[in-house]
Amino acid sequence: MKFHGGVRTLRKNGKLFITLLVVLGLFFTACGSSDSTDTTAGTSDTTAGSSNTTAGSSNTTMGTDTSEPVTLRVLAHANPPAQAWQEAFNAKFQEKYPNVTVDVSVVASGDLSVVTQTRLSANDIDVIDIPGFSNPVADYMSGATPPNWQTLIDAGLLLDLTDQPFVQNYDAATIADAMSYNDKIYQVNGGRVSYSGMFVNKDLLAAASLAIPTTWSELVSVCDTVKAAGNECMTVGGADGWPVFVGSYGLLGSFYPDQAGLVEGLWTGAVKWDDAKTAELWNRYYVYATDMLEPGVTSYSHDADPARYAAGDVAFMPTGVWQAPALEAAEPGFDWTYVPFPGSDNASDNQYLFGKYDQGWAINANSPNQQAALDYLAFFSDPANFQEWINAVGFLPTQPGVTLDTKLGGEVAPYLENYRVGFEQYWVQPTGAGQWANGSQGAAWFAPFNEWTDPAALSKQSQADLQAGLDAG
Amino acid sequence: MSTPIIPSADLRSPDLGSARSITSTTRRTKLGSYVILLTFAVVYMGPLFVLLTVSMKSLPEFFKNPLGLPAGLNFENFVDAWKLANFPTYMLNSAIYASVATAIFVATSILVAFPIARGYFKGSKGMLTLYVVALFLPPALIPQFQLILNLGMYNTRPGYILLFLVNPIGMIILVNYIKSIPRELDESAAVDGCGYFRFVFRVILPLIRPAVATVTVLHAIGIWNELILPTIYLTNDNYYPITRGLIVFEGVYGSNWPALSAAVLMLMIPMLILYMFLQRYIISGLTAGSVKG
Amino acid sequence: MTIKVSKKSYLFGRGWQRWTPLFLLLPGFGLYLVMAVGPSVATAVYSFTDATGIKGAPVNWIGFDNYDEFLFRGLASRDNIAALQRTLIFSVLVTTIQFGLGLLLALLLNQKLKGRTFFRTLFFMPVILGVAIQGLMWKLLLLPNGGPIAEMFGWFGVRSEFLGGQPKEAFLWVIVVQIWANVGITMVIFLAGMQTIPEDLYEAASIDGADGWNLFKSITWPQLTPAINTNFLLNIIGSLQAWQLFLVLTGYKNGTQVLGYLVFAEGFGQTSGSFTTAFRQGFAAAASIVLFFLVLVLGLAANRLVNRRERKYLG
């Protein structure tokens, strides 16, 4: 293969080329980036093009006209219990609205943001699966890039649900914390989860006559005892990386129960990742990652870990409450409870569960099937249906009067009034910050998961990475 | 700086010609060669063997004894994997994408490559340069995405195929190969009154078959292997090619190695059988044209 | 550009028929402009904006801000430059090792050996299987608990987390898999080159008393020039842009990112746990322009090298 001929002519025809390239480039951006005019035209085109569906939706507005079939396109992330529930739910929905066919696309949770973006841009979806809103860019965050959902709303892609009667089925905290942005409501939220606690193997502790630890020092000594007896202290789904964060979220929560305040403190300099109080946090991250977790946790994926834990020789499994159904499925006889991660030496700091508002539903503002989409959300929000949803997925309910009637519901009931939104829901990374700036994930940066072995050095690096971003902004 | 005309490997004897010894092979070098080759063979066979044993274990059996032989012939994982995913659809899709896009690409490219190689119009040199430069161009994920969206071809099979209709390396291979075909052919054909289109497809195409085969194979392999573009452009499970389908399957059932191994094997077996039949063409295709020019 | 059928050399038909080649060329060249050149150039234009790729979101010209951020701002620039270096290291290691191993295998398989076809078929097999299957196979082989390679390491008392642990080590394993998967192509191209070397060259040299290494140096290596050039350029360009294996094997993890993956993650949002980053397509475009210059510089350097060799050996 010869390239030199071409390269020589490049030199000769250089000017010609540059001209051609520039013209082409301008042509392309003309149809690419001047979105405001061009794509609107595109949108109206699509709507006009699918005149059938448009007509269909205007018909449904008038009531339950069954003559025009509507296909309601719903996007959901992969979660097997939720998919099983949704199949039954869709059947019920289609029975009530016989003209509607629900077409659910399931994507892996890691792909949800990409697919949401592309399908909204292509106006190829009616109802989307979206996590609760929690972290708009705050006033003190100068120069930060807004999170995705905020850009979606600002761009007018999500339908305003404020005046829909069904949103009033949700409790006030949920409406404020998860469903609203700038005083308008854009989603209905299907439940809270906690990601800062751990499952406890009650049989194993009982056999060794150990009590459930409520402070850090108790946890350390329980782990020593358990390991001395030939069992393991903790397991997590280390192969996926992020499940390791659960322990660090727990530790961080017991050090800083006011997580919104912590985020503000980090941005304003009132808190530093390497100040005296936080330095101890990094020591505990280190102990958790290298001592408490069993060897070889990088073998287990998040999904596989409940099965590993159900084998019975591990005392604790720090993970989200959403894994309770998987644990019960893996070993029905397993006796467990779920408690906050005891990260502080003061037991009263260890009573909070931190988490996020998980899966919610929002509607594409340009959807030609808006009425059917609204019907879908209204049907979902109906308390009886909502109860079934909660039973299926095991989320902590967001409607008053709906209860989590499972073992998990009973086990976490004492902590529910201490439920708080976690750090990750408030945190927005400053532009220019380095990859170690989000210290809430710190435990996952120690060996065996990453390269660090010295907590003091890592805490300094984390602060330096954050500071670089704050200074650059 | 003339390129020597090197006789291309003959397509009809795809065994890459008869063996030709570099020197009179002594017994010792032969033995050494076998040792090295067998070592490599283990590295290539080993993974297949591991997949096979793991796929026949139950999940608890795998956790207890990940490496040993399975307790017996157990095909449950295959049945499960077959039920859980849409593998026949994925394979069909991959086959459609690879064959349709490659066919269109090759046909259109020959019609570009021939006049460029001959210099049949002004600016043909410049066009060739444009292709050479394109070798180095970054994958233009973002504008391409906007383009497909605005064409209304997002999440459609034709839209996905559209992404694979250009390939500068292929074009350069074709141009260089055509340059080695004597010009006198064109002249005498034109004098005989042969039409341009007929000439290109009846006379030139058979002569450049080795290069066409190379380009076809390289291009089809590229499509077959693509994982990023289906992630961006295809959201409908019915349109997934194998690569994407398998990664999604892993995302959902990734913890269950026996089931995953069974799925991988099920996808591999038809590919391997097809490959056994076609490998002489694939390999000779890959080699025939690429080394020349 | 004036594209016109040249009067002197083109002999087919007369009148309007003389335009046939241009008409026939249009579909192929048009597709090329629309699908490849246009978007590539538009990437450069995008790189000066803060585009998010979300429809309806405002797009502003921000000059060189994306480049400034990528190369100089805060400590994120340290990570970006590390990704750039990693891309280079990946490319250099993959190119050289794959080149060497491919040549070795081709030399071995160019002898009269039993099972030649079998070996050749076997070493080419991963290419057919595709990146998803390659990746999943190796994920299984590299399981830290119970994987066969962990077991072998265990015989020597070595314990490793492979893909899930130290980023440098994970990175090396991706290189191993990349070479394992693609050495077959290199080998086959070399084999084809060796088939074209006339036998009598060797015979003549043997009579002069040359032995194995000398024969290789004086005949095989220079005669192999076209195959060497093909492989060299294919490997360099391919490995600079290849990152799909990272997606399958390690995911987006601190210390293993390469530039291609970074472009994807910034442009289309990357989810890690409950944390989703924003879509920053303008920034991603700037990163891919940086990648372009890297490929261009290396590609042109490689091209020079190749031309020098060609001059030296083939005159």
Side-chain angles (χ1 to χ4, degrees):
Chain A
M1 232 186 292
K2 278 204 307 188
F3 299 97
H4 45 274
V7 173
R8 210 187 310 116
T9 24
L10 176 65
R11 223 171 288 137
K12 238 187 290 171
N13 300 354
K15 266 189 203 149
L16 198 65
F17 264 111
I18 291 164
T19 326
L20 182 76
L21 291 182
V22 168
V23 170
L24 263 169
L26 290 176
F27 166 73
F28 258 83
T29 33
C31 51
S33 75
S34 61
D35 278 3
S36 40
T37 54
D38 249 46
T39 38
T40 349
T43 321
S44 58
D45 256 288
T46 343
T47 334
S50 55
S51 58
N52 271 342
T53 16
T54 327
S57 71
S58 63
N59 273 344
T60 36
T61 325
M62 302 188 313
T64 48
D65 183 3
T66 54
S67 58
E68 282 293 345
V70 171
T71 300
L72 188 69
R73 296 153 302 180
V74 179
L75 182 64
H77 77 271
N79 177 11
Q83 265 87 62
W85 163 86
Q86 200 165 15
E87 218 166 280
F89 174 78
N90 289 343
K92 265 169 71 183
F93 180 76
Q94 287 168 160
E95 204 171 293
K96 187 169 175 199
Y97 300 93
N99 61 321
V100 181
T101 313
V102 183
D103 172 20
V104 181
S105 315
V106 179
V107 297
S109 50
D111 296 333
L112 185 66
S113 62
V114 180
V115 176
T116 303
Q117 178 200 9
T118 52
R119 295 194 70 169
L120 275 177
S121 296
N123 199 18
D124 171 44
I125 197 72
D126 304 309
V127 176
I128 61 166
D129 168 342
I130 195 164
F133 311 140
S134 276
N135 49 345
V137 169
D139 299 334
Y140 54 81
M141 298 175 173
S142 63
T145 310
N148 231 344
W149 62 264
Q150 198 180 339
T151 317
L152 292 177
I153 296 177
D154 287 340
L157 293 177
L158 301 189
L159 187 69
D160 181 355
L161 305 175
T162 315
D163 299 327
Q164 300 298 329
F166 58 79
V167 299
Q168 298 309 327
N169 293 4
Y170 296 84
D171 62 47
T174 306
I175 294 177
D177 289 345
M179 291 163 49
S180 312
Y181 169 60
N182 283 348
D183 299 327
K184 288 194 174 147
I185 296 173
Y186 294 95
Q187 69 159 286
V188 293
N189 193 274
R192 304 172 177 93
V193 293
S194 165
Y195 53 51
S196 72
M198 60 187 190
F199 287 88
V200 177
N201 182 341
K202 281 164 99 174
D203 288 340
L204 190 145
L205 291 195
S209 331
L210 292 163
I212 296 173
T214 57
T215 64
W216 174 255
S217 49
E218 283 174 24
L219 178 63
V220 171
S221 88
V222 166
C223 279
D224 289 345
T225 316
V226 165
K227 285 203 277 191
N231 292 316
E232 297 292 348
C233 175
M234 286 183 185
T235 185
V236 296
D240 292 323
W242 63 266
V244 184
F245 302 163
V246 171
S248 52
Y249 292 155
L251 280 161
L252 186 71
S254 42
F255 271 65
Y256 294 100
D258 175 10
Q259 303 251 289
L262 171 62
V263 170
E264 183 165 0
L266 287 166
W267 267 86
T268 55
V271 182
K272 293 191 185 306
W273 285 127
D274 60 347
D275 60 25
K277 179 176 176 185
T278 322
E280 177 56 19
L281 172 71
W282 290 90
N283 289 332
R284 293 183 186 182
Y285 280 170
Y286 179 72
V287 172
Y288 158 68
T290 56
D291 265 15
M292 291 181 172
L293 294 177
E294 63 172 326
V297 280
T298 57
S299 293
Y300 307 121
S301 72
H302 174 67
D303 304 337
D305 209 40
R308 156 74 193 106
Y309 185 54
D313 62 334
V314 186
F316 309 106
M317 175 171 69
T319 187
V321 289
W322 59 82
Q323 291 216 294
L327 182 55
E328 285 177 339
E331 181 56 67
F334 193 83
D335 191 16
W336 55 270
T337 184
Y338 189 85
V339 301
F341 194 95
S344 165
D345 288 320
N346 185 352
S348 66
D349 290 340
N350 296 331
Q351 54 176 328
Y352 301 99
L353 280 180
F354 297 91
K356 61 175 177 179
Y357 288 86
D358 201 282
Q359 185 174 358
W361 304 105
I363 298 178
N364 171 9
N366 301 316
S367 157
N369 306 317
Q370 250 170 41
Q371 188 54 47
L374 286 169
D375 290 342
Y376 195 75
L377 264 55
F379 198 61
F380 173 80
S381 306
D382 176 80
N385 291 331
F386 195 81
Q387 178 70 59
E388 284 177 14
W389 154 258
I390 291 294
N391 291 346
V393 295
F395 292 161
L396 312 175
T398 46
Q399 287 193 1
V402 173
T403 50
L404 181 54
D405 232 358
T406 58
K407 180 170 164 61
L408 176 71
E411 300 294 336
V412 300
Y415 305 106
L416 268 193
E417 56 192 86
N418 291 330
Y419 178 85
R420 295 189 172 184
V421 171
F423 181 89
E424 288 289 15
Q425 299 341 104
Y426 296 109
W427 180 247
V428 177
Q429 187 109 326
T431 323
Q435 60 189 348
W436 314 110
N438 181 357
S440 73
Q441 306 180 341
W445 299 335
F446 287 111
F449 308 104
N450 211 306
E451 63 195 56
W452 293 88
T453 49
D454 176 359
L458 180 52
S459 72
K460 287 204 174 58
Q461 187 63 59
S462 183
Q463 180 59 30
D465 274 34
L466 173 63
Q467 197 61 46
L470 295 175
D471 295 345
Chain B
M1 215 181 316
S2 64
T3 311
I5 307 273
I6 295 165
S8 64
D10 187 344
L11 202 65
R12 276 158 304 179
S13 63
D15 193 33
L16 291 182
S18 57
R20 178 185 287 132
S21 49
I22 287 178
T23 168
S24 49
T25 323
T26 66
R27 189 166 278 225
R28 221 180 43 206
T29 55
K30 241 183 182 170
L31 192 71
S33 303
Y34 273 122
V35 170
I36 299 176
L37 286 172
L38 286 172
T39 315
F40 272 92
V42 169
V43 178
Y44 281 80
M45 298 279 280
L48 297 182
F49 180 72
V50 173
L51 274 183
L52 195 66
T53 55
V54 170
S55 70
M56 300 219 179
K57 289 175 187 166
S58 68
L59 190 56
E61 196 186 344
F62 172 70
F63 277 128
K64 258 180 253 153
N65 178 19
L67 281 186
L69 289 172
L73 290 181
N74 171 7
F75 293 101
E76 245 169 70
N77 292 315
F78 290 85
V79 179
D80 288 348
W82 183 262
K83 277 193 222 144
L84 289 171
N86 224 343
F87 291 125
T89 315
Y90 301 154
M91 300 202 73
L92 184 69
N93 285 332
S94 277
I96 291 176
Y97 298 142
S99 57
V100 174
T102 306
I104 298 178
F105 165 70
V106 169
T108 53
S109 302
I110 292 173
L111 289 169
V112 178
F114 179 69
I116 288 185
R118 285 294 192 254
Y120 272 161
F121 49 84
K122 285 180 188 153
S124 53
K125 268 211 169 133
M127 273 170 83
L128 181 60
T129 311
L130 197 57
Y131 280 98
V132 174
V133 171
L135 277 182
F136 307 109
L137 288 179
L141 285 183
I142 285 145
Q144 223 178 36
F145 172 68
Q146 296 292 341
L147 176 70
I148 295 284
L149 271 188
N150 285 317
L151 290 174
M153 296 181 88
Y154 170 76
N155 192 24
T156 62
R157 284 203 185 97
Y160 186 68
I161 288 174
L162 198 55
L163 299 167
F164 296 103
L165 297 185
V166 295
N167 177 352
I169 290 194
M171 183 65 66
I172 289 164
I173 291 176
L174 285 177
V175 169
N176 282 331
Y177 203 91
I178 293 172
K179 279 183 176 166
S180 70
I181 309 281
R183 279 185 92 96
E184 290 74 29
L185 268 178
D186 301 24
E187 285 155 22
S188 58
V191 169
D192 288 351
C194 178
Y196 174 78
F197 187 82
R198 256 189 53 166
F199 175 70
V200 171
F201 279 94
R202 283 289 171 78
V203 181
I204 292 296
L205 180 59
L207 289 174
I208 59 169
R209 236 175 24 187
V212 171
T214 303
V215 171
T216 304
V217 171
L218 276 178
H219 196 68
I221 286 175
I223 300 174
W224 192 262
N225 265 314
E226 184 60 50
L227 177 60
I228 309 305
L229 295 180
T231 308
I232 298 177
Y233 289 96
L234 300 175
T235 58
N236 188 330
D237 183 57
N238 292 325
Y239 299 157
Y240 284 167
I242 293 174
T243 44
R244 178 78 190 130
L246 195 57
I247 292 298
V248 169
F249 185 79
E250 191 219 355
V252 183
Y253 304 97
S255 40
N256 190 338
W257 275 105
L260 200 59
S261 305
V264 168
L265 274 177
M266 271 193 313
L267 285 177
M268 276 173 65
I269 288 165
M271 279 193 239
L272 286 181
I273 291 174
L274 199 68
Y275 171 53
M276 296 296 172
F277 279 110
L278 295 180
Q279 62 106 356
R280 35 173 43 200
Y281 300 103
I282 292 175
I283 290 188
S284 63
L286 188 58
T287 55
S290 62
V291 213
K292 187 165 176 175
Chain C
M1 184 150 54
T2 49
I3 297 180
K4 221 163 75 181
V5 174
S6 141
K7 279 197 181 115
K8 270 175 262 168
S9 56
Y10 184 72
L11 302 165
F12 291 92
R14 52 180 71 110
W16 63 269
Q17 285 180 335
R18 296 187 56 80
W19 291 91
T20 323
L22 277 184
F23 282 126
L24 291 175
L25 168 146
L26 278 181
F29 191 62
L31 275 171
Y32 177 65
L33 288 185
V34 174
M35 295 309 300
V37 181
S40 288
V41 178
T43 303
V45 181
Y46 264 89
S47 71
F48 298 108
T49 71
D50 63 354
T52 55
I54 291 173
K55 194 160 82 179
V59 177
N60 304 304
W61 292 101
I62 55 170
F64 282 90
D65 197 57
N66 286 325
Y67 292 93
D68 179 52
E69 182 186 338
F70 184 88
L71 293 170
F72 305 112
R73 190 159 311 154
L75 283 174
S77 60
R78 170 204 62 197
D79 305 334
N80 297 333
I81 288 167
L84 207 133
Q85 285 170 341
R86 227 172 273 128
T87 311
L88 273 175
I89 294 170
F90 181 78
S91 178
V92 168
L93 287 182
V94 168
T95 303
T96 49
I97 299 175
Q98 189 172 314
F99 188 93
L101 281 183
L103 184 61
L104 173 70
L105 291 177
L107 284 171
L108 294 178
L109 289 178
N110 199 37
Q111 307 169 80
K112 272 192 189 118
L113 290 177
K114 278 215 179 75
R116 240 161 32 105
T117 317
F118 166 76
F119 285 121
R120 201 185 60 202
T121 309
L122 183 66
F123 300 153
F124 193 75
M125 171 197 70
V127 178
I128 302 300
L129 298 181
V131 69
I133 291 181
Q134 295 159 7
L136 291 187
M137 270 178 155
W138 279 88
K139 254 181 145 169
L140 173 63
L141 294 177
L142 291 170
L143 276 185
N145 271 11
I149 296 180
E151 186 81 2
M152 282 186 246
F153 274 43
W155 298 339
F156 306 99
V158 178
R159 148 138 213 110
S160 170
E161 308 296 330
F162 301 106
L163 301 165
Q166 297 287 332
K168 286 201 179 88
E169 200 194 325
F171 184 70
L172 282 180
W173 280 108
V174 178
I175 292 177
V176 169
V177 181
Q178 172 83 16
I179 294 169
W180 178 85
N182 293 305
V183 75
I185 299 184
T186 309
M187 170 196 79
V188 161
I189 291 176
F190 273 132
L191 268 175
M194 290 171 188
Q195 299 298 323
T196 63
I197 303 175
E199 179 78 4
D200 37 352
L201 285 182
Y202 290 112
E203 278 160 14
S206 302
I207 293 166
D208 292 347
D211 62 352
W213 171 245
N214 282 329
L215 285 178
F216 176 79
K217 216 173 68 180
S218 60
I219 300 177
T220 315
W221 184 247
Q223 290 288 322
L224 217 46
T225 296
I228 290 171
N229 295 352
T230 305
N231 271 330
F232 195 50
L233 289 165
L234 276 181
N235 284 356
I236 283 195
I237 294 171
S239 61
L240 278 170
Q241 295 174 347
W243 57 272
Q244 313 202 40
L245 269 177
F246 286 94
L247 182 86
V248 183
L249 290 175
T250 63
Y252 201 63
K253 169 181 165 144
N254 283 2
T256 61
Q257 295 103 329
V258 287
L259 226 44
Y261 203 169
L262 192 143
V263 169
F264 175 74
E266 292 284 349
F268 292 92
Q270 182 62 37
T271 316
S272 82
S274 60
F275 189 74
T276 305
T277 58
F279 300 141
R280 306 188 61 208
Q281 298 208 331
F283 182 73
S288 54
I289 294 294
V290 173
L291 177 61
F292 163 61
F293 279 109
L294 190 67
V295 180
L296 189 70
V297 167
L298 283 182
L300 289 181
N303 189 47
R304 266 181 82 95
L305 206 72
V306 161
N307 289 344
R308 266 233 300 275
R309 270 185 52 85
E310 234 167 68
R311 262 198 299 276
K312 183 170 157 203
Y313 288 120
L314 304 174

